[in-house]
Amino acid sequence: QNAAECNRIGLPIGAYWLCHAINPETARQEADGCINAVSSYCLEYPVCYNIEQATINYAAQHGVTVTPALAAQFVQSFCSRVEELGYYAMFYCDRNFLHTYFPSDLSKRYALWYAYYGGQFDNTHCSIWQYTNQGHVPGIRTNVDLDLGFTDLPAIIRDAELNHLDGS
C-alpha cells in the first residue's frame, strides 16, 4: 500500500529485505522473493539487503553459525541475484556488523547503507548514512530513522537503465 501510494504521488522509493538466510542459496532465494514482491512498483532507489544481528539470531535458531565469510556470501548471493534480475543492489548494516563481518572491499563492490549513530560521520565508504533512529518527522508520532545520501542513486540507476524504469 505504501509503495503504491508513493508511486501514485511521485515520491521516489526503494526496497529493503531483512536477511534470514542460512546459506548462500537461501540468500539467492530471498532475492527472488524480494524482486517478486516489488517488481510491480517503480523503484528509483536500490533494492537493499538488510543484514544485522537479527540475521545472526535467525541463523543460530536454525543451527547455523554465521562467520564473516558466510555473511559476505549472503550479501554477494543476494546482491548478485538482484543485479541479474536488472535491479541496483545495495546492502545495509550497522558499524559493528560492518567491522565484524565484512571485508573492507565489500562496500566498494556493492553500495552500502550504513547505520552509525555516533554523532559525527566516521568517513566509512557508503552511499547512505543512517545517522539516527530517533528522528522526528511531522505527521509521524514515533521516532524514525534519518539518513543522509552521499550518492545520487536515482541518477545512477536511471543512467544504467536498471530497476526496469524504462518499462521493460
Side-chain angles (χ1 to χ4, degrees), residues 78-133:
F78 182 93
C79 289
S80 66
R81 180 61 178 155
V82 165
E83 289 177 343
E84 287 171 16
L85 295 170
Y87 289 81
Y88 189 96
M90 95 183 302
F91 71 106
Y92 168 96
C93 67
D94 66 28
R95 180 182 189 180
N96 182 57
F97 205 96
L98 181 68
H99 294 297
T100 302
Y101 286 96
F102 293 130
S104 60
D105 62 344
L106 190 65
S107 66
K108 293 181 179 146
R109 171 58 184 94
Y110 300 108
L112 170 62
W113 183 353
Y114 175 60
Y116 172 57
Y117 308 148
Q120 292 196 338
F121 183 63
D122 65 1
N123 294 317
T124 294
H125 182 267
C126 64
S127 295
I128 300 173
W129 171 36
Q130 184 174 95
Y131 61 90
T132 185
N133 62 354

Side-chain angles (χ1 to χ4, degrees), residues 12 25 147:
E25 180 55 32
D147 306 91

Side-chain angles (χ1 to χ4, degrees), residues 34 40 47 63 137 152:
C34 179
S40 64
V47 174
V137 174
D152 188 350

Side-chain angles (χ1 to χ4, degrees), residues 1-16 37-48 87-88 90 113 128 153-154 157-158 162-163 165:
Q1 180 183 353
N2 290 344
E5 184 62 11
C6 287
N7 281 176
R8 186 186 72 75
I9 65 171
L11 183 64
I13 60 169
Y16 72 93
V38 302
S39 63
S40 64
Y41 302 104
C42 176
L43 301 180
E44 295 179 57
Y45 278 90
V47 174
C48 185
Y87 289 81
Y88 189 96
M90 95 183 302
W113 183 353
I128 300 173
L153 292 166
I157 291 167
R158 198 172 37 255
L162 295 171
N163 292 15
L165 294 176

Side-chain angles (χ1 to χ4, degrees), residues 29-91:
Q29 291 168 358
E30 287 185 312
D32 286 334
C34 179
I35 296 303
N36 185 53
V38 302
S39 63
S40 64
Y41 302 104
C42 176
L43 301 180
E44 295 179 57
Y45 278 90
V47 174
C48 185
Y49 202 36
N50 179 352
I51 185 164
E52 55 187 51
Q53 187 60 45
T55 302
I56 305 303
N57 298 345
Y58 181 85
Q61 292 170 354
H62 291 83
V64 175
T65 300
V66 177
T67 63
L70 186 56
Q73 288 175 359
F74 290 170
V75 170
Q76 291 163 342
S77 292
F78 182 93
C79 289
S80 66
R81 180 61 178 155
V82 165
E83 289 177 343
E84 287 171 16
L85 295 170
Y87 289 81
Y88 189 96
M90 95 183 302
F91 71 106

